[in-house]
């Protein structure tokens, strides 16, 4: 397969670990992306993968560092928690803290919460855009960078496919926030999560038409956004779903 493949990775908190299963399955199919665009969890995983780490290595990092857990309590500021632990993890595994140090070009989407616009980064300092992209509103303290405050890229764009259009021959998009509608009861802690992703889902599925392959594992909302206790299960679910698409993926990308 000689096509230059672009990969789009949505946000989703701990559900983003399904991206690792997708990456593992794509590797076994013989597909390695030439360029990656990600937001929030997808940006973090994309960065670690672009730095040369394998999906299983990233799973180990995410599990041991509680990458998508809530840590470092800080009360009384604009967010409840800070992201110091995340920055330490980024610098540990990507010590040359620039986009240019990555083996695969990476585009990161964050939200400029002051001016209400998307911010896109693909060069220069890496850690601050990554932290901003993953900064869940009302949970984490906003990231001061680029003369503004950055929050979760998913607020305005949870599926940043446009950033790599024209930069590759084919695009594989991965969305890990499919919402189950077969539930009878819902807990208050899940209200914000479901509301947030219901509001985003229409734009994501419209933009899925820009992809040659769209990988959208079903019923992902059954996994909590911060539930690292089932990290391996989430990755495995993404892996098995993508393996089930093997023939379709090969057919589309070989056309």
């Amino acid at each position: 397969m000689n096509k230059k493949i672009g990969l789009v990775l949505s946000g989703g908190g701990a559900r983003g670990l399904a991206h690792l299963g997708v990456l593992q399955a794509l590797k076994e199919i013989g597909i390695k992306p030439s360029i990656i665009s990600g937001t929030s969890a997808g940006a973090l995983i994309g960065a670690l993968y672009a730095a040369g780490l394998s999906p299983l290595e990233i799973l180990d990092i995410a599990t041991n560092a509680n990458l998508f857990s809530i840590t470092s309590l800080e009360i009384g500021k604009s967010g409840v928690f800070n992201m110091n632990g995340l920055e330490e993890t980024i610098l540990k595994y990507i010590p040359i803290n620039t986009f240019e140090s990555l083996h695969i070009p990476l585009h990161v989407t964050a939200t400029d919460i002051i001016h209400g616009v998307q911010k896109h980064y693909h060069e220069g300092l890496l850690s601050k855009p990554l932290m901003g992209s993953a900064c869940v509103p009302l949970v984490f303290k906003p990231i001061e960078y680029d003369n503004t405050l950055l929050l979760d890229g998913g607020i305005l764009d949870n599926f940043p496919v446009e950033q790599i259009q024209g930069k590759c021959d084919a695009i594989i998009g991965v969305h890990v926030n499919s919402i189950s509608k077969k539930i009878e009861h819902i807990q208050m802690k899940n209200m914000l999560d479901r509301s947030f992703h219901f509001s985003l889902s229409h734009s994501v599925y419209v933009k899925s038409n820009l992809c040659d392959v769209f990988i959208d594992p079903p019923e992902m909302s059954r996994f909590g956004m911060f539930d690292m206790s089932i990290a391996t299960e989430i990755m495995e679910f993404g892996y098995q779903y993508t393996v089930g698409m093997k023939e379709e993926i090969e057919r589309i990308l070989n056309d």
Side-chain angles (χ1 to χ4, degrees):
M1 186 178 300
N2 296 318
K3 287 185 177 180
K4 184 177 181 180
I5 304 298
L7 183 65
V8 181
L9 302 176
S10 76
R15 290 193 288 266
L17 296 168
H19 290 314
L20 298 176
V22 174
L23 285 166
Q24 182 63 36
L26 292 177
K27 177 183 177 182
E28 293 174 7
I29 294 171
I31 297 170
K32 181 178 181 179
S34 299
I35 188 169
I36 300 171
S37 177
T39 194
S40 197
L44 291 173
I45 286 172
L48 292 167
Y49 186 77
L53 294 158
S54 73
L56 289 175
E57 287 173 328
I58 299 170
L59 177 67
D60 185 62
I61 293 167
T63 302
N64 291 322
N66 287 321
L67 198 58
F68 301 111
S69 292
I70 300 176
T71 56
S72 304
L73 182 63
E74 183 174 295
I75 300 175
K77 298 291 182 68
S78 51
V80 178
F81 300 91
N82 67 52
M83 303 189 81
N84 295 342
L86 174 60
E87 185 168 34
E88 291 172 4
T89 299
I90 293 169
L91 296 178
K92 179 178 179 180
Y93 294 99
I94 312 177
I96 303 176
N97 186 20
T98 65
F99 281 86
E100 289 80 6
S101 72
L102 302 174
H103 303 305
I104 302 172
L106 175 70
H107 290 250
V108 170
T109 295
T111 298
D112 176 345
I113 200 63
I114 300 296
H115 303 100
V117 296
Q118 297 175 30
K119 300 288 283 189
H120 305 292
Y121 300 96
H122 66 277
E123 58 186 10
L125 185 70
L126 177 64
S127 60
K128 296 299 184 183
L130 282 179
M131 293 164 65
S133 183
C135 192
V136 179
L138 304 180
V139 175
F140 294 109
K141 178 182 176 182
I143 302 301
E144 296 183 24
Y145 181 67
D146 200 12
N147 298 313
T148 190
L149 294 177
L150 299 180
L151 282 178
D152 198 310
I155 295 171
L156 293 179
D157 190 357
N158 205 36
F159 195 67
V161 63
E162 295 92 343
Q163 281 62 58
I164 59 173
Q165 279 187 295
K167 297 180 174 67
C168 50
D169 300 315
I171 295 176
I172 298 174
V174 189
H175 176 241
V176 294
N177 293 298
S178 57
I179 303 171
S180 173
K181 299 179 183 179
K182 299 177 181 179
I183 62 173
E184 296 182 1
H185 304 285
I186 183 169
Q187 297 181 342
M188 285 299 297
K189 67 179 182 179
N190 297 324
M191 288 286 188
L192 179 61
D193 179 20
R194 287 178 69 83
S195 299
F196 182 61
H197 288 104
F198 270 131
S199 69
L200 295 171
S201 61
H202 176 72
S203 63
V204 169
Y205 289 115
V206 168
K207 294 205 294 180
S208 70
N209 294 319
L210 301 176
C211 300
D212 298 273
V213 175
F214 184 58
I215 300 173
D216 186 31
E219 306 288 322
M220 287 296 292
S221 63
R222 62 196 173 94
F223 302 121
M225 279 190 68
F226 300 104
D227 194 353
M228 289 300 299
S229 66
I230 51 173
T232 301
E233 180 183 345
I234 296 172
M235 177 178 174
E236 180 67 16
F237 189 70
Y239 172 79
Q240 293 295 342
Y241 185 79
T242 307
V243 167
M245 292 182 63
K246 180 177 184 292
E247 291 185 5
E248 177 185 352
I249 293 169
E250 290 178 328
R251 174 178 53 80
I252 292 173
L253 296 184
N254 285 322
D255 282 347

